[in-house]
Structure formats: C-alpha cells, structure tokens
Amino acid sequence: APDTVVASLRPENIDRTVSRMLEENSRKAGGDNLNSMVSFNLSPKPIKERVGKTFKVTVEVSGERQVSGADIALQYDASKLEVKSVRDGGLFGQQPDFSYDKKQKGVLTVSVKHPQDAPTATSGRLVTVEFSAIGEGQSEIALGSGQTRARVGAAQLPVASSAIQVTIGRD
C-alpha cells in the first residue's frame, strides 16, 4: 500500500519510528547503550617501590555495557619490572577461561572470558598482576590500546584504558 509508506515517512512519524527502532535494538542488546565505552583501569596510582620488592596491580573494568570476555595487553619496562604472577579477578565466575602469556619482553597478554560466553555486568576486578621491582628508575604500566579489547560473544566493544606510573628506588 503506497499510501501507508508515504504516511509513515512524514516528518512527524520519522522521529517516533526511529525512537521505537532504537528502543527495540537496545532491548535486544540487553538494555545496553550501544555507544557506551568499556573502561579498563589500573590501580593503585601512582606506585612507589624499592628494588627487590613486589607489588600488585589490579585491572578493573567498568561501563554500562555487559561483557562476556576481555583481552588485555599490559606494557611495561622489562629492565625495571618483572611479572611474578597473574590471577583471575573473579568477574566471570569461579572457573573462567583464563590464560596469559609473558614470553614477549615488556608485554603481558591476558585473556579471560565467561565459560558459556554469558554477558556479565561490567563492574569489578578483571585480573591482579604481581610485579617485582628489578631496576631503579621509572616505568609506565599501560594497557596497550590496539591489543586491549572487551567482547560480548563475537562482537568487540569500544574500550577506554589507562596507565600508571611506577617509581622504583633503592630506599
């Protein structure tokens, strides 16, 4: 019915139609705002430590979206810091699919996801990394923007990430 199509394209109907479509898409996506970011934050900030001591850095995730998994790449100065251990933070339940690789000098990659790919509220501790201070000076610990991603199933989400400064001294 051509008259129906023309009537539905009138300016007063377009806004209503677009709003209805956006609401429908939002409901299908679990009520998420499709443009919202997922933020990865490192804490504590800043860190002061002595050579030979260990300290922990927590990667926390927040945002309005739900996620079912994340890949992170932590970059650091390998002449000043060494990764001692990596632990899951519990965001994706008791037994998530969790793996990490610290073979590449100065980069720690971590992958963690819900075992059934179930969307999870984006708020909490993703991983805890224990570092050892091995050299005097300054090092930044940063989330590599190109390699740090959040996922819902197979879809990747926009990510905002942070960095922290570490100062290592002898005393």
Side-chain angles (χ1 to χ4, degrees), residues 13 37 41 70-71 74 88 90 123-124 143 147 150 156 159-160 171:
N13 294 331
M37 297 282 272
N41 297 299
D71 297 314
L74 273 183
D88 169 53
S123 178
L143 287 156
Q147 300 157 298
Q156 288 191 15
V159 168
D171 50 355

Side-chain angles (χ1 to χ4, degrees), residues 142-154:
L143 287 156
S145 57
Q147 300 157 298
T148 298
R149 299 179 283 275
R151 293 186 308 272
V152 173

Side-chain angles (χ1 to χ4, degrees), residues 1-2 22 26 28 42 67 101 131 142 155:
L22 288 173
S26 182
K28 286 178 188 170
L42 302 172
V67 295
D101 179 3
F131 285 94

